[in-house]
Amino acid sequence: MASLSMEIATTVLSFTCRQQPKIPTTLVPFFYKPKIGNLSYKTASYAKPMRRFSVAARRTASDDIDVETKFLADNRIPATIITGFLGSGKTTLLNHILTADHGKRIAVIENEYGEVDIDGSLVAAKTTGAEDIIMLNNGCLCCTVRGDLVRMISELVTKKKGKFDHIVIETTGLANPAPIIQTFYAEDSIFNDVKLDGVVTLVDAKHAGFHLDEVKPKGVVNEAIEQIAYADRIIVNKTDLVSEPQVASLVERIKNINRMAYLKHTEFGKVNLDYVLGIGGFDLERIESSVSAEVEKEDHHDHNHDHDHDHDHHGHEHDHKDGQHDNHHSHDHTHDPGVSSVSVVCEGSLDLEKANMWLGTLLLERSEDIYRMKGLLSVEGMNERFVFQGVHDIFQGSPDRLWGPDEPRMNKIVFIGKNLDAQELEKGFKSCLL
Ligand SMILES: Nc1nc2c(ncn2[C@@H]2O[C@H](COP(=O)(O)OP(=O)(O)OP(=O)(O)O)[C@@H](O)[C@H]2O)c(=O)[nH]1
């Protein structure tokens, strides 16, 4: 049978099917890396660069239906960003990580404004001896000291490689995670050795409501909302200070912003360490679990009305009838007019050119508003599923495993972003189906 090559050139999904020689058995995901100078989040300057996706992923659709598709082993050092509003419990969580028995050697980069007593704030560091603790206290990581972050990670990697297993970065309470996330893709010196493992966001159960409600001047981001929107894991902390209904109502608000992240309630940041470390929030091979979990959570809610404390969610708009599954559905969480999650689930196969045009145009026009997205696609002519993830205009995608012979060709995409129109996204997506 014919083999397929996917080549990503300009814009986004420029798939080109063509004949290729026989089978590579591993996959190299392609990615787009914007220039660091273009990363200024608050301006539009990075939103419309010339894009170029460098590496083509290649895989056969062949007589080898039983050949397992494998991603190349990723031996880069994982890095976790801990963020959350002022006083939400970031350092408390960090202390918990440093004192827990996980056998990992952790290098810590802590970003604080002004002079900080490191031993005072990171009590655990003294007793357990984190491999390295670096303070960045001359500004905020997401604004003025991003260059310092790059330098510090590069130094850690060159001077201390082999001496630590994981990097944990604690941001200031006012940080916007986007530019920090983008740093991991924009700098070769980081990208080649360090991979972003996940964004963990602490939410103060008592005060978060005020911060989420805060109306900012036009063009100024509400950090509390942004920190939730970019998260892979959300920890609603300080639940000892509020009632259960208060927690439930806060969780509902959080889920309206970000339905892709997992969520737990805690006191003093006490979570299992595998909830925050080694989560693969940006890994293509874990896309399926993210998008499927999101969709399952929706279905679980829609039809069972059973509320799990860890993944709690409540009323939102439905566009399918009770008890029935339409193959095409999207969910619009419009309670918060600003930042919300939209998922599109749809059976069928996509026309390559149309899909490329739609997604390419969407990202060219809306990349500033699309904070994160993950998807799993069925493309006509490809025997593999196509998985992708993106943060603004950083886009990574790759063919993944082969579709099973009787497996429904179910497409799933989840967007988290600003002013998302669920109907429009669903319509656009469906127009690409054959
Ligand atoms: N009651 C209660 N207090 C908590 C909890 N978690 C943390 N705290 C306390 O809240 C205060 C702030 O916690 P930190 O861990 O320093 O919060 P942070 O997010 O690092 O704070 P900033 O760096 O100032 O943004 C400390 O006094 C903690 O002991 C909790 O679950 N319940």
Side-chain angles (χ1 to χ4, degrees):
M1 284 172 76
S3 60
L4 284 179
S5 165
M6 299 200 354
E7 207 161 80
I8 313 304
T10 61
T11 63
V12 184
L13 292 177
S14 260
F15 296 100
T16 322
C17 295
R18 55 162 105 125
Q19 298 291 321
Q20 285 290 331
K22 192 101 178 135
I23 221 170
T25 51
T26 51
L27 296 177
V28 182
F30 62 82
F31 64 94
Y32 165 66
K33 299 190 302 163
K35 290 263 181 279
I36 188 87
N38 287 333
L39 287 179
S40 170
Y41 176 71
K42 285 180 186 147
T43 72
S45 62
Y46 83 100
K48 296 178 176 55
M50 293 298 290
R51 283 153 218 276
R52 190 145 195 98
F53 296 96
S54 49
V55 186
R58 195 181 285 176
R59 181 73 174 88
T60 66
S62 67
D63 35 359
D64 57 342
I65 192 87
D66 54 348
V67 173
E68 267 287 295
T69 297
K70 285 197 172 58
F71 285 89
L72 291 176
D74 190 344
N75 297 321
R76 293 175 297 163
I77 301 158
T80 299
I81 299 171
I82 297 181
T83 189
F85 211 73
L86 296 164
S88 54
K90 299 179 292 297
T91 308
T92 305
L93 172 67
L94 189 48
N95 275 323
H96 172 56
I97 292 173
L98 293 175
T99 46
D101 184 15
H102 46 61
K104 282 187 179 20
R105 297 162 304 167
I106 295 177
V108 176
I109 297 177
E110 204 183 7
N111 184 206
E112 300 269 8
Y113 279 121
E115 291 302 314
V116 186
D117 169 11
I118 186 168
D119 286 343
S121 69
L122 268 181
V123 182
K126 231 169 35 176
T127 47
T128 60
E131 253 331 297
D132 241 300
I133 298 179
I134 304 170
M135 297 298 292
L136 278 168
N137 52 10
N138 58 338
C140 180
L141 270 185
C142 73
C143 329
T144 51
V145 296
R146 213 170 53 225
D148 291 349
L149 175 67
V150 172
R151 187 174 45 76
M152 279 171 178
I153 294 180
S154 304
E155 269 179 29
L156 267 178
V157 168
T158 46
K159 293 189 184 154
K160 308 255 174 170
K161 201 168 184 180
K163 294 189 174 153
F164 63 94
D165 311 305
H166 204 107
I167 300 173
V168 175
I169 300 162
E170 181 191 340
T171 73
T172 69
L174 295 174
N176 171 8
I180 308 171
I181 294 170
Q182 287 164 320
T183 301
F184 285 86
Y185 292 91
E187 282 292 315
D188 284 345
S189 58
I190 293 186
F191 186 85
N192 293 336
D193 291 300
V194 180
K195 73 161 191 170
L196 184 55
D197 181 48
V199 177
V200 177
T201 298
L202 273 294
V203 179
D204 179 337
K206 189 167 169 62
H207 299 109
F210 303 115
H211 305 312
L212 294 174
D213 284 339
E214 202 177 326
V215 179
K216 299 276 184 178
K218 201 164 185 281
V220 177
V221 299
N222 179 326
E223 300 90 351
I225 293 178
E226 307 278 307
Q227 289 163 352
I228 289 169
Y230 289 100
D232 296 288
R233 299 285 188 267
I234 294 170
I235 298 175
V236 178
N237 192 39
K238 300 193 171 184
T239 51
D240 55 310
L241 302 179
V242 290
S243 66
E244 272 198 29
Q246 283 173 298
V247 174
S249 138
L250 176 61
V251 166
E252 182 176 350
R253 287 198 71 179
I254 292 170
K255 286 289 173 187
N256 289 335
I257 298 167
N258 182 343
R259 302 190 74 80
M260 210 147 43
Y262 285 88
L263 186 149
K264 275 189 190 295
H265 310 168
T266 58
E267 294 174 16
F268 292 93
K270 294 257 181 304
V271 287
N272 285 337
L273 274 262
D274 57 9
Y275 181 71
V276 288
L277 300 183
I279 60 182
F282 293 80
D283 288 357
L284 290 176
E285 56 267 52
R286 299 213 204 171
I287 294 294
E288 173 158 33
S289 58
S290 312
V291 294
S292 299
E294 206 283 344
V295 171
E296 274 161 27
K297 280 184 269 176
E298 296 280 1
D299 290 346
H300 175 68
H301 164 77
D302 293 346
H303 305 300
N304 297 332
H305 296 277
D306 182 8
H307 298 268
D308 177 331
H309 265 291
D310 285 352
H311 306 113
D312 204 351
H313 46 279
H314 301 269
H316 42 263
E317 290 186 6
H318 307 279
D319 56 4
H320 53 253
K321 294 185 182 69
D322 262 1
Q324 285 182 2
H325 267 283
D326 187 337
N327 275 338
H328 307 276
H329 65 273
S330 69
H331 294 272
D332 181 11
H333 306 283
T334 50
H335 309 274
D336 198 322
V339 180
S340 63
S341 301
V342 169
S343 53
V344 179
V345 181
C346 195
E347 191 169 356
S349 286
L350 294 161
D351 179 277
L352 201 58
E353 275 184 35
K354 285 184 186 167
N356 180 47
M357 184 65 78
W358 173 68
L359 202 46
T361 307
L362 188 69
L363 286 190
L364 276 173
E365 290 176 353
R366 300 289 312 277
S367 68
E368 255 191 298
D369 289 345
I370 297 174
Y371 293 8
R372 288 190 73 169
M373 62 175 180
K374 291 186 181 181
L376 191 165
L377 305 176
S378 164
V379 179
E380 179 66 12
M382 268 185 75
N383 286 359
E384 304 85 0
R385 306 172 328 161
F386 185 83
V387 289
F388 69 88
Q389 70 99 14
V391 179
H392 293 288
D393 58 354
I394 295 167
F395 183 91
Q396 284 182 290
S398 174
D400 153 67
R401 68 161 171 82
L402 296 167
W403 288 98
D406 300 319
E407 188 177 2
R409 297 285 184 122
M410 201 60 84
N411 302 275
K412 299 168 186 170
I413 308 188
V414 184
F415 298 94
I416 298 172
K418 203 160 54 182
N419 302 322
L420 299 181
D421 182 332
Q423 273 73 39
E424 189 187 324
L425 288 169
E426 185 182 17
K427 197 168 149 218
F429 184 81
K430 281 161 77 171
S431 73
C432 305
L433 288 170
L434 285 164

